[in-house]
Every structure is written in structure tokens, then in C-alpha cells.
Amino acid sequence: FLPQIADSFRMVADSNDILNAPIVGDYVQQRASLLPKARDNETFVAPLSIPQLPARFYFLFGKPVETFNLDYKDKEECQRVYESIRRDVEVGIDMLLAERDKDPFREYPARLFYETVNQKPAPLPDLFTNKDKE
């Protein structure tokens, strides 16, 4: 419901919203008029934003790429290795995005609630759990 201005902040009100707000608008206009101005007839009022709580981070490390015997002068071989790495990275990103989209504990409030009530860490997405160990 709030416009997102960056990954870590949401804008609650821009300067026009603040200046036109009942009760506080006139006060903010009066206070802003006391500040030095860069241009005549300009009133700067910083937007009101709130920090966004951090979401869970998702990492995936792919298989090591052996390049010891790669001849950097062999453009075709270098291109083949590059394309292989690029495909692997794209597949990894797609997997992470899919896991993130279905993770019920992606957002901090849900994780905090679960961990407070259950007194244990929130479960990890399936991609990050090793089912063979169970």
C-alpha cells in the first residue's frame, strides 16, 4: 500500500502530502520557511519514510569451475565455459527466487512470531535442508 522508494525504505508521504496535511501542514511550512533556500520560492521538505524490516537472505553456491587447463587464447573454449557458468548462475537465481516466493518465513515479522512462540528458529526452505541427513 505504500510506494517503495528503495529496497530498505517505504515512502509514507512526499513533501506535497506533508505540506497539504491538516494540522501539521501549516506548521511544517512555517518551519521550512526558516531554513536557507537554494532558490527563491522553493520550500524543501524531506519526504517521510519508514525503514523496511529485512527479509530473509537466500544464497546458493554452485560447483567449482576448473580453469587451470583453460587456454585463455582459445576464444571458443572460453566462450563455452562462460556460457556454462552463465547458465548455472541463471538456474541458481531462478531456484532461489522460486524458493523465496514460497517461503512463509521470508519476511521478518512472520519469522519473529514463529521463533518467539516456538522458541526455535523458523524452518528453512526445502532447497536449504538436506533431507538425506534425517
Side-chain angles (χ1 to χ4, degrees):
F1 74 99
L2 298 173
Q4 189 166 345
I5 56 176
D7 287 342
S8 56
F9 289 92
R10 291 212 182 262
M11 187 184 315
V12 176
D14 66 14
S15 59
N16 289 332
D17 294 335
I18 295 169
L19 291 172
N20 294 323
I23 301 170
V24 297
D26 291 337
Y27 174 76
V28 172
Q29 175 70 40
Q30 180 184 14
R31 299 296 295 173
S33 69
L34 301 175
L35 299 172
K37 295 179 179 10
R39 297 182 195 102
D40 291 337
N41 299 325
E42 179 178 72
T43 302
F44 174 76
V45 176
L48 179 61
S49 12
I50 56 174
Q52 188 173 334
L53 294 171
R56 183 179 267 175
F57 292 105
Y58 301 82
F59 295 93
L60 182 66
F61 296 93
K63 64 183 187 317
V65 178
E66 179 59 57
T67 59
F68 183 75
N69 293 323
L70 180 66
D71 180 7
Y72 69 91
K73 293 179 185 176
D74 184 347
K75 299 298 181 195
E76 289 179 11
E77 181 66 10
C78 288
Q79 187 65 33
R80 185 191 65 72
V81 171
Y82 170 80
E83 292 297 331
S84 173
I85 294 169
R86 194 188 89 216
R87 275 191 308 276
D88 288 348
V89 169
E90 288 173 351
V91 167
I93 290 172
D94 290 342
M95 287 174 26
L96 289 172
L97 290 174
E99 288 295 322
R100 181 185 70 176
D101 288 345
K102 64 183 184 181
D103 182 3
F105 300 107
R106 169 184 177 186
E107 298 299 333
Y108 183 71
R111 273 195 326 275
L112 179 63
F113 179 76
Y114 179 92
E115 292 174 354
T116 302
V117 168
N118 295 291
Q119 295 296 303
K120 64 180 182 178
L124 294 173
D126 292 338
L127 180 65
F128 304 107
T129 57
N130 186 350
K131 300 292 183 190
D132 296 335
K133 287 185 178 179
E134 294 177 357

